[in-house]
Amino acid sequence: MSDLICITNRTLCGTNFLGQIRKIAEARPYAILLREKDLPEYEYRALAGQVLAVCRTYGVRCILHTFTETAMRLHADALHLPMHLLRDLNNTQKARFSRLGASCHSISDAEEAEALGCTYITAGHIFATDCKKGAPPRGLSFLADVCGAVHIPVYAIGGMTGKNHSLALRAGAAGSCIMSGAMSCKNPAAYFKTF
């Protein structure tokens, strides 16, 4: 198993999203994070059920995003939230998940996420990326500062490639989050080997 979290974006892989998820799962990343922010919850729930089934088949962790109720209904054991939703999560809800993550954009976010019970966080964006066009990257020193401020695994996000992944690891990250490369490549196993 690798140290890569694949973040989904079904608009990047044409019409065969579940086929791409199968190929990614077969390549054994650390996890697949089903983000799909544009979907209403009822559509996300239907898709999440299918993705969870694929991940279970291949023994890959599936992390659901944003929709706490859906994650609990589907008996998901991992959930990732933006900070504003994490703050609203109660202890009973937190106890339902063995892995709880949050998207952090500052050292104070990271410290707060850890205090609120997160078992890992993502920190970014570290490098320039088309997903954040025009927004300056926070860079490796930011990543190192976040990693030094918390005692939970930190995954670098934003512009991560095979060329800069090792730099993130040296800065203290547990791994990297990737989206466009994983969603659009024909051979995820070969792509992961570049990291």
Side-chain angles (χ1 to χ4, degrees), residues 60-183:
V60 171
R61 185 171 291 113
C62 182
I63 304 170
L64 298 189
H65 194 280
T66 301
F67 300 115
T68 303
E69 274 305 311
T70 285
M72 291 192 303
R73 266 194 196 179
L74 295 174
H75 306 288
D77 69 347
L79 178 66
H80 190 95
L81 298 171
M83 287 300 296
H84 72 279
L85 293 179
L86 176 65
R87 290 179 188 114
D88 292 338
L89 211 60
N90 65 47
N91 288 334
T92 303
Q93 291 169 316
K94 288 177 191 175
R96 297 283 300 269
F97 304 102
S98 62
R99 287 176 184 81
L100 180 63
S103 303
C104 297
H105 303 99
S106 67
I107 292 170
S108 62
D109 278 356
E111 292 171 335
E112 183 182 3
E114 183 176 39
L116 289 172
C118 281
T119 59
Y120 78 94
I121 58 170
T122 60
H125 67 288
I126 304 306
F127 298 103
T129 173
D130 287 344
C131 296
K132 304 275 186 188
K133 252 191 188 2
R138 292 184 171 90
L140 289 167
S141 60
F142 163 77
L143 178 61
D145 289 345
V146 168
C147 292
V150 295
H151 300 93
I152 55 176
V154 177
Y155 289 83
I157 191 168
M160 303 310 300
T161 67
K163 292 181 180 168
N164 60 32
H165 174 67
S166 62
L167 299 175
L169 297 179
R170 272 182 280 200
S176 294
C177 298
I178 54 176
M179 184 176 65
S180 51
M183 288 286 102

Side-chain angles (χ1 to χ4, degrees), residues 20-29 32 54-55 58 60:
Q20 189 69 9
I21 292 296
R22 274 188 203 91
K23 288 195 284 184
I24 290 169
E26 194 173 21
R28 310 265 306 149
I32 296 174
V54 170
C55 288
Y58 290 96
V60 171

